Amino acid sequence: KYTVSPSKAYAGSHVTLNLYVENTNAKEVRNVQISLKVPTNESSNSTVVSSGTVFSPVDSSNTFYIDHIAGKSVAKKEITMYVDSNAAAKTYVVPVSITYESLDGDAYEAEDNVNIPVGQESQIDIIAHSVAKEATVGSPADYSIEFVNAGKVAVTNLKAEIQGESPVFENQVYYIGNFDVGATDTFSGSFVPEEVGELSGNIVLSYTTTDNEDVVMEYPFTVNVSEMIVPDIDPNDPGMEPMDDGNNFLDTLKGHIKDIIFIVIIAVLAGIIIRDKRKKKADEELLDE
């Protein structure tokens, strides 16, 4: 029999295989040789070809020796192997060959298989993230986080959201779902602070791995919220021209009513004089004819 530790190996890590080889005979066996064979596949033309292996024994070959195993006893062999970082996520079948000799020198052989499940660790990396550090009451404060699936397996139920005790963060959720290898995306938006002081929250990414494990990534932030600054306007500032409205115009007319009446009278008199002169000239020209 055998055990694998951890029970599921991950690509790019080490796994320990414990082999328990039992001598079921009452007599001792000698020169026991244990070999981990390279897995083979059947090609499209029905020939058997080597598919290579994703397991590499550490500081040893793939063949191990035991001098002897007493009758009705068990020998244990511990083998540490490195799992190729590019190994696909699946269960690998590793053939094990055992050769040995009886006390009489007769050679024997036995074969079995070892199943080693391999997984690829899910990996979501943050490319960049930012949240406004300063904000004012009533004005939008922006946030953004960009992320990528840097692993070698897709993840599911991917969700990005901004959380906090303040109600300004409510309902700011971006659900993506399945997120393929190499995919990138961005979660961004804004919130409007309602009170002066420190406003704290978290940008949260959550997803489910191929092992059906839930992963939560949190990025906390704090925003210093101040009052909205309203500029003071000095009415006596010569650079500030007051807005003219109807009341100001009427007041101006009332202050100059006498001057306006005088100008109107002069204009009327001038018009009468000009009219009389033109009439007199016209009469003289008529008499000359």
Side-chain angles (χ1 to χ4, degrees):
K1 63 180 183 180
Y2 66 92
T3 62
V4 177
S5 179
S7 58
K8 184 172 186 177
Y10 282 92
S13 65
H14 291 84
V15 61
T16 299
L17 173 64
N18 292 302
L19 289 176
Y20 299 88
V21 182
E22 180 182 8
N23 180 3
T24 59
N25 200 299
K27 296 182 180 181
E28 177 183 287
V29 294
R30 298 176 179 177
N31 299 325
V32 180
Q33 176 179 297
I34 304 171
S35 298
L36 304 180
K37 292 187 175 181
V38 175
T40 57
N41 285 336
E42 186 173 309
S43 65
S44 57
N45 58 3
S46 299
T47 59
V48 176
V49 296
S50 171
S51 63
T53 180
V54 300
F55 304 105
S56 302
V58 178
D59 298 328
S60 68
S61 68
N62 62 338
T63 300
F64 312 92
Y65 298 93
I66 301 174
D67 289 338
H68 65 277
I69 303 176
K72 299 296 183 180
S73 62
V74 177
K76 176 184 175 182
K77 189 64 179 178
E78 183 179 286
I79 306 164
T80 299
M81 299 182 292
Y82 174 75
V83 186
D84 192 292
S85 59
N86 294 316
K90 65 177 185 178
T91 297
Y92 290 84
V93 178
V94 180
V96 179
S97 174
I98 303 173
T99 60
Y100 58 95
E101 295 177 358
S102 67
L103 292 176
D104 297 330
D106 296 328
Y108 296 89
E109 182 176 359
E111 291 189 352
D112 210 331
N113 292 320
V114 170
N115 298 324
I116 304 179
V118 173
Q120 278 281 357
E121 286 189 306
S122 303
Q123 183 177 343
I124 301 296
D125 286 348
I126 304 304
I127 300 174
H129 74 283
S130 64
V131 181
K133 295 182 178 180
E134 304 288 337
T136 56
V137 173
S139 298
D142 296 331
Y143 64 85
S144 175
I145 184 168
E146 185 178 5
F147 43 90
V148 60
N149 185 349
K152 295 185 178 180
V153 288
V155 301
T156 59
N157 300 323
L158 178 62
K159 180 174 64 175
E161 60 185 316
I162 187 168
Q163 299 176 346
E165 295 182 359
S166 174
V168 302
F169 300 133
E170 290 181 356
N171 302 320
Q172 300 210 41
V173 180
Y174 177 36
Y175 183 78
I176 302 169
N178 294 337
F179 200 51
D180 292 330
V181 177
T184 60
D185 210 331
T186 302
F187 171 53
S188 60
S190 62
F191 52 89
V192 180
E194 298 175 341
E195 297 179 355
V196 174
E198 285 192 348
L199 181 60
S200 298
N202 290 291
I203 294 180
V204 180
L205 295 180
S206 60
Y207 61 91
T208 304
T209 69
T210 53
D211 296 327
N212 206 32
E213 295 179 355
D214 294 328
V215 178
V216 177
M217 306 166 64
E218 294 187 354
Y219 295 86
F221 64 85
T222 300
V223 182
N224 294 317
V225 183
S226 58
E227 292 183 353
M228 182 180 293
I229 301 175
V230 179
D232 295 329
I233 300 176
D234 185 359
N236 298 319
D237 186 352
M240 300 297 295
E241 294 292 337
M243 294 294 291
D244 191 14
D245 55 25
N247 292 332
N248 289 336
F249 181 69
L250 292 176
D251 291 341
T252 301
L253 287 179
K254 291 178 181 178
H256 298 82
I257 189 66
K258 293 180 179 180
D259 295 336
I260 294 173
I261 293 174
F262 178 75
I263 293 173
V264 171
I265 293 173
I266 294 300
V268 171
L269 292 176
I272 293 173
I273 293 172
I274 293 172
R275 184 194 64 183
D276 291 344
K277 284 184 178 182
R278 288 178 178 175
K279 184 177 180 182
K280 183 177 180 181
K281 183 177 181 181
D283 293 338
E284 290 176 353
E285 290 176 353
L286 182 62
L287 291 174
D288 292 339
E289 292 177 0

